[in-house]
Amino acid sequence: MLSRQVAEALRKRETPYYFYDIDLLRQTLESVVSVARKYGFVIHYAIKANYDPHILEVIKEYGLGIDCASGGEMRCAIEAGFDPQGIVYAGVGKRDKEIRYAIEQGIFAINCESIQELGVVDAIAGELGKVQNIALRINPDIDPKTNKCIDTGQADSKFGISYEEVTEKLDFIRSLKHVKVSGIHLHIGSQIRELHVFEYLCAKVNSIVGHLTSLGLDFDFVDVGGGLGVNYDFPENEPVPNFASVFAIINSHLKVDGRPVHFEFGRAIVAQCGELITSVLFNKTTATGRKIVVVDASMTELIRPALYGSYHNIENITSQAKERERYTIVGTACESTDVFDEGITLPRTQRGDLLTIKSAGAYGMSMASRYNLHDLPGAVYSDEL
Ligand code: LLP
């Protein structure tokens, strides 16, 4: 996170851009890796959270596998030097060429999300003369108690296969010659802060594993997905997420007969190390008295507030003013939802001040767009200042 010194160094750069605190990223990785080692858990980084090459380089040093959501993500991971043998690939809509690429690369598992997909993977693996390891992504029907836009685990969701369908189609699944069911996969949602949700997940997994085994379906590993949330309200209070708590819950509640347990964390690894740095362009006051600060970033650099109503803590890192005022912070895009925050109190803020929009390392840059033909934002790294 930003010290005054860093803020001074940042003043000279052209805004908006992402600033990454690489020390914090390393601390986070050390924490996740050391606690996971204690229990023998396997960690994949959900690359959709951030594809920045420097970030990937650092993550690679810590030996994490990768979780992908597309052929493009797989290619990015492999080109960045990650071992295909550590890659899992989920997604409700995999194109044939993406499935073919995954099989050719020999990835660890394709996490299949429909019975029809299993048949297609089988056919393509057959054409290639291979047997592909897959995991069945089962929808466990659990409420992850998070923003409904990022909830994936409830019965009506587009993600995963219902458990009923898996058991109904077991003969079909067993009949496939070029697909080996090597795992069970579940992912119930993102930004999960109520950790007891992971206890419900364990209970569901235990019953699924017990039942499938009694039906004679054997498999090697269980992948419980990602979803661990971060503290957006007070990032300084919790710069490194509480991996120890979630791992302790999983370790004490999950009963999978010694099978390796995999996780796919995105946000928890990269959210807190990234901040979006933006300059104030203009101040104005609406007819209703609302004080508006227009910054040079927008939803094209960070779409989370506009898309999900997400909160990001914002600070003015250059103002020396003693007086504080209430502001609405808006971006430059031609969209009414392009608002970073409303009614926040900051030191008097004016043209040229630098603001930081915190906890933006996950799903910030990776969701950036060129709407309004904005340039994509650049990146500045603490270890290159
Ligand atoms: N595994 C699967 C199968 C996923 O779909 C996801 C995220 C993850 C792992 C990683 O979840 P995480 O540990 O980051 O919570 N753009 C949204 C988040 C979308 C999450 C999509 N799937 C946001 O900005 O909040």
Side-chain angles (χ1 to χ4, degrees):
M1 298 194 183
L2 290 180
S3 64
R4 276 264 156 214
Q5 258 171 334
V6 174
E8 259 331 291
L10 292 181
R11 240 194 186 303
K12 303 178 183 81
R13 314 269 176 151
E14 189 186 346
T15 52
Y17 55 82
Y18 279 92
F19 170 75
Y20 295 109
D21 180 340
I22 300 297
D23 285 340
L24 180 56
L25 174 62
R26 286 186 183 282
Q27 278 172 39
T28 308
L29 287 161
E30 260 150 38
S31 167
V32 70
V33 164
S34 65
V35 196
R37 192 179 301 125
K38 191 167 139 196
Y39 300 113
F41 293 158
V42 183
I43 311 297
H44 301 257
Y45 166 58
I47 195 170
K48 60 178 81 71
N50 193 315
Y51 324 106
D52 180 281
H54 189 47
I55 300 273
L56 292 182
E57 205 52 46
V58 176
I59 291 175
K60 198 172 60 180
E61 283 177 37
Y62 290 79
L64 273 60
I66 291 285
D67 161 53
C68 293
S70 71
E73 290 189 357
M74 253 183 298
R75 194 175 295 279
C76 170
I78 290 168
E79 286 177 3
F82 286 89
D83 181 358
Q85 261 305 304
I87 294 182
V88 291
Y89 171 28
V92 286
K94 303 178 182 79
R95 298 169 187 86
D96 289 13
K97 68 173 184 185
E98 296 176 304
I99 293 172
R100 187 176 299 274
Y101 179 66
I103 299 170
E104 283 167 353
Q105 293 297 321
I107 70 167
F108 180 73
I110 299 181
N111 296 345
C112 292
E113 307 218 15
S114 65
I115 297 295
Q116 195 173 15
E117 181 190 335
L118 282 167
V120 174
V121 174
D122 184 66
I124 297 176
E127 280 166 28
L128 295 171
K130 296 197 172 187
V131 175
Q132 176 62 44
N133 283 341
I134 64 106
L136 296 170
R137 177 168 181 183
I138 298 176
N139 183 308
D141 192 17
I142 288 179
D143 178 357
K145 308 251 190 288
T146 184
N147 183 326
K148 71 173 177 23
C149 304
I150 52 176
D151 164 346
T152 56
Q154 302 208 52
D156 198 33
S157 152
K158 73 172 183 174
F159 296 99
I161 316 175
S162 78
Y163 183 61
E164 291 67 31
E165 195 178 4
V166 169
T167 49
E168 272 164 29
K169 305 283 169 55
L170 221 45
D171 287 342
F172 169 75
I173 298 172
R174 284 206 193 91
S175 75
L176 301 170
K177 298 276 174 297
H178 298 279
V179 153
K180 177 182 178 320
V181 179
S182 60
I184 297 298
H185 173 230
L186 302 93
H187 169 76
I188 56 173
S190 201
Q191 184 52 14
I192 299 171
R193 293 286 287 166
E194 295 189 31
L195 294 189
H196 60 267
V197 165
F198 290 107
E199 294 177 19
Y200 305 148
L201 176 66
C202 291
K204 267 284 161 69
V205 175
N206 295 347
S207 90
I208 290 172
V209 168
H211 192 213
L212 282 181
T213 315
S214 73
L215 295 174
L217 188 78
D218 200 16
F219 47 87
D220 309 323
F221 72 93
V222 172
D223 180 343
V224 292
L228 179 62
V230 301
N231 191 337
Y232 282 101
D233 295 330
F234 303 103
E236 284 80 5
N237 291 356
E238 214 182 315
V240 177
N242 197 343
F243 295 108
S245 294
V246 72
F247 287 162
I249 290 175
I250 301 281
N251 185 57
S252 60
H253 290 81
L254 202 66
K255 305 280 173 263
V256 292
D257 293 332
R259 292 178 178 91
V261 179
H262 293 237
F263 291 80
E264 307 164 340
F265 293 129
R267 187 188 317 270
I269 292 174
V270 289
Q272 298 295 31
C273 75
E275 310 188 27
L276 179 60
I277 310 295
T278 181
S279 306
V280 175
L281 292 175
F282 303 113
N283 294 78
K284 62 181 178 180
T285 306
T286 64
T288 55
R290 197 149 70 115
K291 289 193 162 62
I292 296 208
V293 169
V294 186
V295 296
D296 66 358
S298 73
M299 62 193 282
T300 65
E301 287 78 26
L302 178 65
I303 200 173
R304 303 191 70 259
L307 192 60
Y308 316 115
S310 304
Y311 173 77
H312 287 260
N313 192 283
I314 299 178
E315 216 180 287
N316 185 326
I317 50 176
T318 51
S319 171
Q320 307 287 335
K322 294 274 178 294
E323 324 78 71
R324 296 174 73 80
E325 304 237 37
R326 269 168 80 81
Y327 297 110
T328 294
I329 313 292
V330 307
T332 56
C334 293
E335 294 289 333
S336 304
T337 59
D338 184 28
V339 174
F340 285 115
D341 203 358
E342 290 187 54
I344 61 162
T345 305
L346 293 177
R348 200 182 61 240
T349 292
Q350 46 199 351
R351 181 171 167 80
D353 285 353
L354 274 192
L355 304 191
T356 173
I357 305 179
K358 298 183 212 169
S359 316
Y363 308 110
M365 183 61 202
S366 64
M367 295 181 80
S369 78
R370 295 215 51 213
Y371 178 53
N372 289 165
L373 288 183
H374 287 177
D375 290 335
L376 288 173
V380 173
Y381 310 95
S382 60
D383 58 349
E384 290 180 359
L385 279 179

